[in-house]
Amino acid sequence: MTNTTMSNAATVTGGRALPTGLLEPKTRRRTRIGLVSGGLGAYWPQFPDLLPLLQDSARYVTDRFTALDADVIDAGFISDAPDAQTAAEKLRVADCDLIVVFLATYLTSSMVLPIAQKSHTPVLVIDLQPTEAMNHATFDTGQWLAYCGQCPVPEVANVFRRAGIPFRSVSGYLQQDSAWDRIISWVHAAGVRATLRTARHGLMGHVYPGMLDVSTDLTSVSTTFGSHVEVLEFDDLRVRVDEVTDAAVRERMHLASQLFKVDDSVQQEDFAWGAKVSVGLDRLVADFDLDSVAYYHRGLAGEQHERLGAGLILGSSLLTARGIPMAGEYELRTSIAMLSSQAIGAGGSFTEIQALNFFDNVVEMGHDGPAHLAVSAREPLLRGLGVYHGKRGWGVSVEFDVQPGPVTTFGVGQDPDGRYVFVTSEGTVVPGPLLAIGNTTSRVDFGGDPGRWVDEWSQTGIGHHWALSLGHRAADIKAAASLLGIEHRHVALV
């Protein structure tokens, strides 16, 4: 395996910078944003200076979108219903993840409805007037109309509601930072939709015995998100591990030594086995073209599959750092949350509740197994463990403390009718004492009694695992839920 450079596909906003030139990121396709601008053509002969002014605003909007990490399909400026039909067809063929309609001035709802109906794609309506306010002393009617994009917003919302189409909007002015922050949240959300509807999730092994909350209907994953679930055998990994050469093992151990501090507790035999499984796991992911993997195998008496399962932590953490999240304990829904978190640049590390600290009012979180290296506060550690708690096997495990600062817990819950729900809560990782037991660990302050947080979090339909993501990203995740047509629930102790 050759070492290749990282790109922004695996970059985590605010995350710990990993050494460059070591990890190859996973990419599938960029987010596609459809864009169309417009106004009512009846105005153009009446006010000759109006259309050029609106087209200047549309160019500014296009430039802002083009500067984002997305492919922009610009359907141009429309002036009437026939123009709208032409734009709708162009955007339908483009298969966008989100369509943005810029209301440059008043236009009729008949110019917007066909775009939403034909494309079968979520639509965001934006109305951004040129500046904060008009100059009332000098403006004439034509100049006022450049500020009239808000006028049709209720009209379009009414028609969308009657048509059964979800309505979303951002109102503001062209250079308003807060308006663009809201717009960018929708672009991030479109990235989650783009990722999930093209994703291939690997599911390897079997559910951890007795974890009823982890069980997931694979058909519902495809019908809800558009993803494909590839069911894998541990033997699919075994045959690839068997083919790994000693040279590839040495190269992977060298890579790991650059990324991790190797603790004295690590046995070289176990380190080499973890490296060998890591190379085989990379080949498995490549051969099946996977974007995420959830796995578990109980094993028995040191047999080969038990050793494979116990050797996955190093390779799983390296893949997660590349933007291919790995979740233990067969946690498919959490791997989906981790992949969604990665799509918005927030990382997403496999986690659960470990304990509560009522002196410091923090929830202690973490998990053994795969971890996202970019959320580490310092150089991550490889620790040797003679036993994995609650699991069979032994070997090397990844240990680090999550960097202090804002975080979001994000998981995929499920309701009695089988519907999925995105669940979030925002807190702050604060420094303090943590266990050194080969786990990813953190102390999260949610702004109140930690026991109350556990109670309210548990009422949402969440399972006992979720992604720990960097930054306060609930707005992005709420927007993603909207684009995916599922509910969002947020826990806040205020």
Side-chain angles (χ1 to χ4, degrees), residues 164-218:
I165 298 171
F167 178 77
R168 310 163 186 89
S169 66
V170 173
S171 300
Y173 62 92
L174 278 177
Q175 298 190 38
Q176 184 181 6
D177 290 339
S178 58
W180 279 103
D181 286 344
R182 292 163 61 201
I183 291 168
I184 290 170
S185 282
W186 286 108
V187 175
H188 289 160
V192 174
R193 181 173 185 262
T195 297
L196 293 185
R197 72 190 186 106
T198 60
R200 292 174 54 83
H201 306 292
L203 193 59
M204 183 171 65
H206 60 81
V207 70
Y208 189 106
M211 287 186 182
L212 303 182
D213 64 321
V214 169
S215 298
T216 300
D217 174 13
L218 306 191

Side-chain angles (χ1 to χ4, degrees), residues 6 18 20 68 169 207 247 274 278 333 442 445:
M6 293 190 69
L18 300 177
T20 59
L68 301 176
S169 66
V207 70
S278 174
R333 295 201 309 277
S442 59
D445 182 352

Side-chain angles (χ1 to χ4, degrees), residues 431-459:
L434 291 164
L435 295 175
I437 57 172
N439 283 200
T440 304
T441 51
S442 59
R443 294 159 37 95
V444 186
D445 182 352
F446 289 101
D449 182 284
R452 181 181 156 214
W453 182 86
V454 172
D455 293 337
E456 295 193 15
W457 181 248
S458 301
Q459 289 288 331

